[in-house]
Amino acid sequence: MAQDGVEFSRIDGILDELQPYLVMGVQNHNLRNFTFERWRWDEPRLTVTWAGDDHITRNLGVSLRFDGGNERMGEILVEVNAWRDTDEMGGSVRIRKWRTARIGELKIREIRPRTPVLIFDEQLLIHSLYIGFRTVSSWQFRDLETATPIPAFASGRLLG
Amino acid sequence: MIVHLYRYGSDPIELAQILRERRIQSRNAATAFATWYTFDRYDDPAAAQQFLALRDPPVYRVGPVWAFDVGQPDIPPRPVAPANGQPGGGTELRVVSSVWIFGVWNYQAQRWEL
């Protein structure tokens, strides 16, 4: 969602500065067949998603949160997720088995008008990404502790 | 196949744009104004937050709009991945064009009647 009082282009500049850290994390963990995305539903977020041979899909997200629309205050959040969707009860119910963890919350010390836009604890972000990739990669199917019924996926829906 | 779409949001400026222009489109120039939709109508904002994996419950819902008005998605329909501590599991797609929605404009009064 939009960040009240904070311009999208300004936030996009912050994502520009965070992206190389995520790219470095991907390289350090030798991820293959991953997808990379910026923004989602107008929420400022960098997401790396990959699927393993274990049929579990995993992602690591770095998102931004600003305090009450204050452009100079905010946090960088590092989050990981793993999930697998299964059809149960003869295919009538779809269950998502998933697990999530908030790995890091880094205070943004300052947001400046020119490069570097963002002043934050660089080493803490690098460490959080390392822990995040390592944690989510270690999760097995038995570790996906939450089961949530979800709507059946439909690529199109007939109107009757 | 005929489908309808909904958009959920929390941006007061986007909401004002919808009411003023009867037009749906993200304000995010960083994504070339690409706009996310879902097939699903949620009456409970908490359910929208959960299945669309949004950071906060949305403030408003727009729709239904017809898919053929929206145009070809640049990100086709896909299951929503977990994010923001939410499970996701809904369906999402993204389009780059804006959508005009139904309205009745009164030329004399210079206002929307509906």
Side-chain angles (χ1 to χ4, degrees):
Chain A
M1 300 293 153
Q3 312 283 317
D4 292 353
V6 182
E7 287 303 316
F8 287 107
S9 58
R10 187 173 168 82
I11 299 173
D12 200 51
I14 297 174
L15 294 181
D16 281 342
E17 292 195 357
L18 293 176
Q19 187 166 320
Y21 296 96
L22 200 52
V23 170
M24 187 170 66
V26 167
Q27 291 168 344
N28 289 344
H29 286 79
N30 296 316
L31 290 186
R32 289 180 174 80
N33 301 321
F34 63 88
T35 60
F36 184 84
E37 284 192 1
R38 288 169 67 117
W39 295 95
R40 188 182 151 272
W41 287 86
D42 294 334
E43 291 180 356
R45 183 180 180 88
L46 302 169
T47 307
V48 176
T49 304
W50 67 101
D53 295 335
D54 54 6
H55 304 291
I56 295 173
T57 309
R58 297 172 171 85
N59 70 22
L60 185 148
V62 176
S63 57
L64 297 167
R65 179 188 287 271
F66 298 94
D67 299 339
N70 186 333
E71 293 186 30
R72 305 186 71 81
M73 301 287 290
E75 288 177 316
I76 303 165
L77 308 174
V78 179
E79 172 197 33
V80 292
N81 298 282
W83 70 101
R84 185 196 290 177
D85 296 342
T86 56
D87 289 327
E88 298 185 3
M89 298 176 69
S92 61
V93 177
R94 175 159 284 198
I95 301 291
R96 171 162 291 179
K97 296 200 172 146
W98 65 293
R99 183 168 182 174
T100 184
R102 175 76 60 82
I103 300 296
E105 298 178 20
L106 291 76
K107 280 283 179 200
I108 297 173
R109 292 185 191 145
E110 187 182 354
I111 301 172
R112 307 194 306 181
R114 55 183 166 271
T115 308
V117 175
L118 202 59
I119 305 299
F120 65 101
D121 188 335
E122 186 183 47
Q123 289 307 314
L124 186 54
L125 177 61
I126 292 170
H127 180 70
S128 295
L129 293 173
Y130 172 77
I131 297 295
F133 279 116
R134 200 178 67 173
T135 299
V136 74
S137 297
S138 73
W139 288 344
Q140 307 295 310
F141 185 66
R142 64 177 177 275
D143 299 318
L144 308 182
E145 55 198 6
T146 306
T148 304
I150 60 173
F153 174 67
S155 59
R157 191 161 297 165
L158 280 172
L159 287 180
Chain B
M1 188 172 289
I2 302 171
V3 295
H4 50 184
L5 303 171
Y6 296 89
R7 173 159 172 80
Y8 298 83
S10 298
D11 178 5
I13 300 176
E14 182 185 301
L15 179 58
Q17 170 187 278
I18 293 165
L19 297 175
R20 187 178 62 250
E21 303 177 23
R22 296 295 196 270
R23 181 173 65 89
I24 308 172
Q25 189 166 38
S26 164
R27 295 191 307 114
N28 190 353
T31 59
F33 309 103
T35 308
W36 290 91
Y37 292 89
T38 180
F39 295 126
D40 298 311
R41 176 189 178 110
Y42 300 108
D43 291 325
D44 180 359
Q49 179 190 21
Q50 178 183 354
F51 292 123
L52 298 176
L54 302 174
R55 196 188 66 187
D56 301 302
V59 173
Y60 56 86
R61 177 187 69 215
V62 193
V65 296
W66 297 98
F68 55 69
D69 287 338
V70 170
Q72 198 67 22
D74 70 326
I75 296 179
R78 66 182 187 185
V80 175
N84 295 310
Q86 305 293 331
T91 303
E92 64 184 4
L93 66 150
R94 196 181 79 168
V95 299
V96 291
S97 55
S98 64
V99 179
W100 298 100
I101 58 175
F102 178 81
V104 178
W105 175 251
N106 185 323
Y107 285 110
Q108 272 194 325
Q110 288 290 294
R111 68 165 183 251
W112 294 101
E113 302 288 0
L114 183 64

